[in-house]
Amino acid sequence: MQSIDRAMIVAKTLATHTSENGVSISDLSKQCELPLSTMHRLLKAMIKQGMVEQDERTKCYRLGTIWLEYGLQVYDSMDYVTKIRPELERLSHEVDESVYLSRPAGLEAIILERIDSENNTIRIYDQLGLRIPMNIGAANKAMLANMPSFKSTDILKKLLPLEQLAPVEVTLKQIKKLGYATSHGERTEGTSSVAVAIVDGLGEVVGAISIGFVSFNLTENRMDFLIEKVMETGRRISEKLGSNSN
C-alpha cells in the first residue's frame, strides 16, 4: 500500500507540471519528500507500467499516456460523450459562455469537461481535472442540494467548522427548492456561475452543469436567461440518463 500511495503522490506532482520539459528526479524527490534512491526505484517501476515517461534528452519525467487512455475509457463508459457533450455544446452556443461538466468525488468535485464559446473572447477558464471542495461554487452546491441530506451533511461536516453548517444547509434547501444554484466571486473575483445538478434514473446525483461568466455589466434579464437555459439543459440530460424527477 505504501508503494501505491507514493506512486499516486508522484503522479499528482507530475500532473501539476504542464510543461513539456518534465520534472527532474531531484525536483520530484524534494516535492514528494522522498529520498533520491526511493524515487529512482519508484520511477523505474512506474515507467514499466506506462505511468511515467522519461525524456531521453533531458532525463526529466512526465506523466505517461496510460493515464489519458484510462481516463478516456472511464469517460466513454459514463456515456457522457453521446448523451451529455452534445447538450453542453448546445448550451454554450445558446448562451455564448463557457460551460462545464463536474462530477462529485468524495469531498471534492472534478471538472470533466469544458466547452468554450467561440463568439466570446472573455472566458472563464478552469482546467480540466481541477478538483474543487464540495462546499465551493454553484455546481458543487447544486450537487449537494440534490443529495440525501445525511450524505450532504456528512460531506459538509468534514469541510466546514460546526458553526458554519446551519447557514449552508439553509442555502442548500433554497437551492433544492429553486432547482438551481448561483455563485458570485467565490473562487475568482469578478466572476459568477449558475448551475444545476444532473440526476440519473436511480435518483443519484452524477454531476452538474454550470455556466461560468464575468459579473461585469450583468443584468437581471441576462441572469434570468442563463438560469433558464442551464435548467433546460439539466432537465434534458437527466431525462437522457433515465431520470423522471425533473
Side-chain angles (χ1 to χ4, degrees), residues 74-98:
V74 173
Y75 185 87
D76 190 48
S77 69
M78 292 173 179
D79 218 5
Y80 285 154
V81 175
T82 57
K83 291 185 177 180
I84 296 183
R85 186 177 174 86
E87 292 292 348
L88 296 179
E89 293 174 340
R90 173 179 175 175
L91 178 60
S92 180
H93 178 73
E94 288 178 337
V95 301
D96 282 336
E97 302 285 0
S98 294

Side-chain angles (χ1 to χ4, degrees), residues 6 25 29-30 32-41:
R6 287 176 172 176
I25 189 171
S29 179
K30 291 176 184 177
C32 298
E33 299 181 349
L34 292 172
L36 269 173
S37 57
T38 302
M39 181 60 69
H40 184 268
R41 290 194 301 271

Side-chain angles (χ1 to χ4, degrees), residues 100-126:
Y100 296 88
L101 168 66
S102 302
R103 181 177 175 83
L107 302 182
E108 300 170 312
I110 304 173
I111 296 179
L112 292 182
E113 185 63 279
R114 183 190 70 247
I115 307 294
D116 293 321
S117 170
E118 297 179 355
N119 299 323
N120 192 341
T121 56
I122 304 175
R123 297 174 179 172
I124 307 301
Y125 183 87
D126 280 328

Side-chain angles (χ1 to χ4, degrees), residues 109-158:
I110 304 173
I111 296 179
L112 292 182
E113 185 63 279
R114 183 190 70 247
I115 307 294
D116 293 321
S117 170
E118 297 179 355
N119 299 323
N120 192 341
T121 56
I122 304 175
R123 297 174 179 172
I124 307 301
Y125 183 87
D126 280 328
Q127 188 177 9
L128 297 183
L130 179 67
R131 288 177 172 264
I132 303 172
M134 283 293 288
N135 61 306
I136 297 175
N140 294 359
K141 290 175 183 175
M143 289 188 283
L144 283 173
N146 285 274
M147 292 178 182
S149 58
F150 73 87
K151 187 173 182 178
S152 60
T153 298
D154 182 60
I155 291 172
L156 290 172
K157 282 181 177 178
K158 295 174 182 176

